[in-house]
Structures are given as C-alpha cells and as structure tokens.
Amino acid sequence: YYSPFLSIWLSIMVDDEIFFDWMKSYAVLILSCSETAHNLQAARAHLVVNDEELSETSLGLRIVNSFRLNVIKLYRICLQIFNLTHEKSQLSQLSGVNRTRSAADDETTIQERYGHHFRRMSFLLSPKNGLAMRLLSESRLSSLDLPVLHEVFGLISDSFNMGLAQACFDRADIFTYVNSHYLGFLSLYK
C-alpha cells in the first residue's frame, strides 16, 4: 500500500491549503472555460501534447482535453487513495477481536475521516454544480472527448466505490446522482 507515499500525496494534493486552492483554480479554468482552447491555440508554438504533431484546427481542443484528462486523473488518484486507506482500515477492524460497531458508527467514522475532503472536492463532484457532471452534460461525444468522459465516469465511480460518497455526500446529492444516471440509462432505450 505504500503508506508513506500515499500520506505525502494526500498532504500535498488535499491538505495543503495553498496548493489545493491553486489546483482547484487550475481545474476550474481547464474544465469549465471554453475560451481556454482559443487561448491555447494562440500558444501552440510553445506547447507539446504527447509528442504528437497536431493539425491547427484541432490543436486547441486536443491540448485542452489533454489538460482536462490530467486534472481529472489527479483528483481520481486522490479518491483512489481514500478508497485504499478506507479499505485498509476496514480490514484492520475486521482482524480485531470483536467487531461491535454498528453501520451507523461506521458511517459517522467515515464522515469524520473523509467528509472534509469530499466537501473540498465538491467543486468537482457535486451533482448539481460540480464540474464533472457539467462535463458530462456539455460533451459533444466526439472522438476527442471520449477519453475525458471515460475519466469523468471513473472519477464518479471512484467516489462511490467503497461507500465513501454515500456517507459523505448529502442525501439530496446522492438522489440526484441516482436519478440522473438512471434517467440517462433509460434514455438509451427510448
């Protein structure tokens, strides 16, 4: 589990106020501003994306999608680390002598341990105002957008993976997620 590395990663990415605020500002800029592509188009001579030669028409969009992909991956790694540390703590509790804690106690412990981090990441994960859901609703489903959409679905999945989101999100947010994904599933079969 590489506990020292995971602790350092989280202390830099989530716990450090200045770095977190900077990363949040960068994520908001990259994930929400459509004019970012035009600005990057102007700076194309100074940017290299995955060592590829890019045509001028798609350069700005490809660069933005590359940046979007990397930003989402960074936050997804944080969620995966939360899941790993939660899984590790559950395994250590199960290996204890007697497990006398109730499900409500577990949910309270999860809220105490991870609630602050999920609230800080609500700019990305909120189903109403979060950038992840906005990306899903605004995507054009072009071949350039598919890797970004895949990462967004992975990000949402990772937030719910070990039950952390269910304990840390408001009930209204959970219902919004369930309703939007259920309705999206139903729309496939119209």
Side-chain angles (χ1 to χ4, degrees):
Y1 279 120
Y2 306 111
S3 292
F5 173 75
L6 300 180
S7 298
I8 290 171
W9 178 270
L10 288 179
S11 69
I12 293 170
M13 283 296 297
V14 181
D15 295 332
D16 185 324
E17 294 287 331
I18 294 170
F19 187 76
F20 181 83
D21 289 341
W22 182 85
M23 276 301 298
K24 179 181 173 183
S25 299
Y26 176 74
V28 169
L29 173 73
I30 292 297
L31 296 175
S32 65
C33 295
S34 60
E35 61 271 356
T36 304
H38 299 292
N39 294 338
L40 290 172
Q41 181 75 18
R44 70 180 174 271
H46 305 289
L47 299 171
V48 176
V49 178
N50 299 331
D51 298 326
E52 288 184 30
E53 280 294 318
L54 301 173
S55 68
E56 292 203 18
T57 57
S58 67
L59 179 65
L61 186 59
R62 281 187 147 179
I63 291 172
V64 169
N65 280 343
S66 175
F67 290 160
R68 285 178 173 169
L69 196 63
N70 290 332
V71 165
I72 294 168
K73 282 180 181 180
L74 284 173
Y75 286 104
R76 192 169 172 200
I77 288 169
C78 291
L79 289 172
Q80 290 169 349
I81 292 172
F82 293 148
N83 287 330
L84 282 174
T85 56
H86 178 62
E87 182 180 31
K88 190 175 179 182
S89 69
Q90 281 184 325
L91 290 174
S92 67
Q93 286 177 357
L94 289 176
S95 67
V97 179
N98 284 334
R99 181 162 163 78
T100 58
R101 296 175 61 106
S102 68
D105 290 338
D106 288 342
E107 188 168 317
T108 303
T109 302
I110 291 170
Q111 286 175 352
E112 289 171 359
R113 186 173 290 158
Y114 303 103
H116 171 70
H117 300 305
F118 272 79
R119 282 188 297 278
R120 291 186 78 190
M121 293 176 69
S122 67
F123 79 96
L124 190 61
L125 297 172
S126 171
K128 296 172 189 157
N129 303 320
L131 296 174
M133 289 298 280
R134 190 179 312 159
L135 278 174
L136 288 178
S137 65
E138 293 175 357
S139 69
R140 294 174 305 284
L141 290 178
S142 71
S143 62
L144 294 175
D145 290 337
L146 291 179
V148 174
L149 294 177
H150 183 264
E151 281 301 314
V152 169
F153 281 122
L155 179 83
I156 294 169
S157 173
D158 287 341
S159 68
F160 284 94
N161 188 19
M162 296 296 296
L164 297 179
Q166 292 88 323
C168 296
F169 283 157
D170 293 333
R171 293 290 171 226
D173 287 345
I174 293 172
F175 291 138
T176 302
Y177 264 118
V178 171
N179 288 337
S180 66
H181 290 293
Y182 179 70
L183 293 174
F185 174 76
L186 288 179
S187 70
L188 293 174
Y189 296 99
K190 281 185 184 178

